[in-house]
Amino acid sequence: MISQLRGRSLLTWLDYTPQEVTFLLNLSRDMKERYYLGERVVNVHQGKTLLLIFEKPSTRTRVSLEVAAWQLGMRTIYSNPQELQLGRGETIEDTARVVSRMVDGVAARVFSHTTLVRFAQYSQVPVINALSDECHPTQVLADALTLWEVKGRVNGVKVAFVGDGNNNMAHSLIAIGARLGWDIRIVAPKGYWPSRRYVEDAEDVGRRTGAVLTVTDSIEEGVKGVDAVYTDVWVSMGMEKEAEERMRIFKPYQVNQSLMNMAGEGAVFMHCLPAHRGLEVTDDVIDSPRSVVWQQAENRLHTAKAILAALIR
Ligand code: CP
Ligand code: NVA
């Protein structure tokens, strides 16, 4: 499996088979166990470099990738496009051709997913999506590990994503859930449902893995009996202009005690963070014993290690 993963980019889980995702999930768990046994440093990439280019701010993704790279023996260079010649108009393609002759991997956080696709096309080294408007693959691998830990199984877990069903988190949960055989419910107002590309992929992959995708605007129907209620911000980075309208539209979809009661006793609460307390989630839910958000955040490190260990050549 490693030989088929080495050198690959990770732009979206749509490009990966269920077997490949399962392998990376198992490797993540292994990395975490080794970490807790005291083996923090797994020197598989000594002397190599990871370049991080971030068009938007980041806490979890940046720190997890930098720490993960370091623990694998790599060094990192962090930059925003303004500090590179990109900011003065050098093209994505030329930048990719140049830096990929010097570094061993690139992690990029971009406004437009197309930027990543163009970069990867001209890069000689793996490109890792550190969040785009379309999807956030490194986050959901950590979420899958968290669900496995708290529910004790991977296949068949029921996850309801409540909120903006067309955003990067919703898409990523659909893509990874389809590959891991989840029962995925996207609970969102009409007009904010997932892109057809992700829905069609889930239907196709689901025929092989047993995954089922439901898209609904009914909170009650969507969250009843689930293992996890997942939410994310109503206004993603780059969508600030739509903030006022989104606040109004998503208000009924706030994850509060009454929504968690509808979900039932077995449901944990999940959020990729950062959270906007009092908007998409109330304090009494995110700070409750049912909340696994800090475990999700920690798992960013172990999963980042698995991704870099496997994909960097
Ligand atoms: N969840 C997540 O990606 O957080 P950051 O924006 O802090 O990286
Ligand atoms: N949907 C959010 C996720 C942040 C990790 C955003 O794109 O801003």
Side-chain angles (χ1 to χ4, degrees):
M1 183 61 76
I2 279 286
S3 60
Q4 95 191 38
L5 291 172
R6 279 260 182 271
R8 295 258 300 271
S9 286
L10 172 56
L11 304 190
T12 165
W13 288 120
L14 298 187
D15 299 336
Y16 281 72
T17 65
Q19 292 72 24
E20 289 165 348
V21 175
T22 302
F23 176 87
L24 288 169
L25 184 59
N26 286 331
L27 186 60
S28 302
R29 187 150 176 154
D30 189 45
M31 287 291 181
K32 186 167 182 178
E33 273 162 14
R34 289 163 84 163
Y35 181 94
Y36 277 100
L37 284 169
E39 198 187 346
R40 288 187 171 205
V41 177
V42 184
N43 248 334
V44 293
H45 289 318
Q46 208 162 13
K48 299 181 190 172
T49 308
L50 180 71
L51 172 65
L52 297 101
I53 306 176
F54 278 44
E55 293 179 353
K56 314 179 194 181
S58 168
T59 299
R60 281 142 286 266
T61 310
R62 175 182 176 180
V63 175
S64 61
L65 282 168
E66 291 217 40
V67 174
W70 186 83
Q71 290 184 0
L72 296 170
M74 304 177 81
R75 70 151 297 165
T76 58
I77 302 168
Y78 176 88
S79 183
N80 67 43
Q82 262 51 55
E83 288 165 312
L84 302 174
Q85 295 287 10
L86 261 175
R88 291 181 58 250
E90 187 167 23
T91 66
I92 301 285
E93 290 79 2
D94 290 354
T95 306
R97 282 191 269 234
V98 170
V99 298
S100 70
R101 285 168 177 256
M102 301 179 202
V103 303
D104 303 280
V106 177
R109 171 167 284 202
V110 297
F111 283 100
S112 167
H113 191 77
T114 316
T115 306
L116 280 176
V117 175
R118 286 168 57 199
F119 199 107
Q121 220 170 348
Y122 287 86
S123 172
Q124 297 181 15
V125 299
V127 178
I128 292 158
N129 180 355
L131 183 147
S132 70
D133 55 345
E134 183 183 299
C135 59
H136 194 6
T138 60
Q139 173 69 48
V140 285
L141 189 62
D143 302 335
L145 177 59
T146 309
L147 271 169
W148 183 12
E149 289 169 342
V150 298
K151 293 294 166 187
R153 69 203 151 91
V154 175
N155 209 263
V157 290
K158 298 190 183 90
V159 183
F161 177 86
V162 181
D164 181 359
N166 188 249
N167 82 1
N168 41 20
M169 284 312 308
H171 288 148
S172 301
L173 286 165
I174 294 171
I176 205 163
R179 282 151 183 77
L180 296 175
W182 292 357
D183 174 343
I184 319 141
R185 293 111 185 259
I186 301 295
V187 186
K190 289 196 180 86
Y192 293 88
W193 285 7
S195 302
R196 193 152 7 130
R197 184 171 173 230
Y198 280 80
V199 173
E200 284 174 358
D201 170 86
E203 285 165 359
D204 178 36
V205 176
R207 278 191 275 277
R208 283 179 277 140
T209 63
V212 186
L213 171 66
T214 310
V215 182
T216 176
D217 63 349
S218 159
I219 296 169
E220 200 164 0
E221 181 196 332
V223 305
K224 202 165 166 207
V226 294
D227 295 305
V229 172
Y230 199 120
T231 194
D232 182 17
V233 294
W234 294 337
V235 184
S236 286
M237 289 179 276
M239 294 180 178
E240 290 76 10
K241 271 199 250 138
E242 299 170 25
E244 216 180 290
E245 190 189 357
R246 286 172 163 269
M247 293 294 170
R248 187 173 42 77
I249 291 169
F250 289 113
K251 206 166 174 208
Y253 291 82
Q254 182 188 66
V255 178
N256 49 33
Q257 250 345 310
S258 103
L259 188 145
M260 290 304 288
N261 290 343
M262 266 188 235
E265 269 174 28
V268 296
F269 171 73
M270 301 180 82
H271 194 309
C272 55
L273 305 176
H276 290 75
R277 291 161 175 265
L279 292 177
E280 76 272 7
V281 61
T282 52
D283 283 333
D284 57 354
V285 169
I286 195 170
D287 294 329
S288 74
R290 299 169 80 171
S291 168
V292 296
V293 299
W294 315 121
Q295 195 170 331
Q296 286 175 262
E298 178 191 332
N299 284 339
R300 295 297 307 273
L301 170 62
H302 311 297
T303 46
K305 260 170 112 168
I307 290 168
L308 294 177
L311 303 188
I312 301 292
R313 232 184 256 118

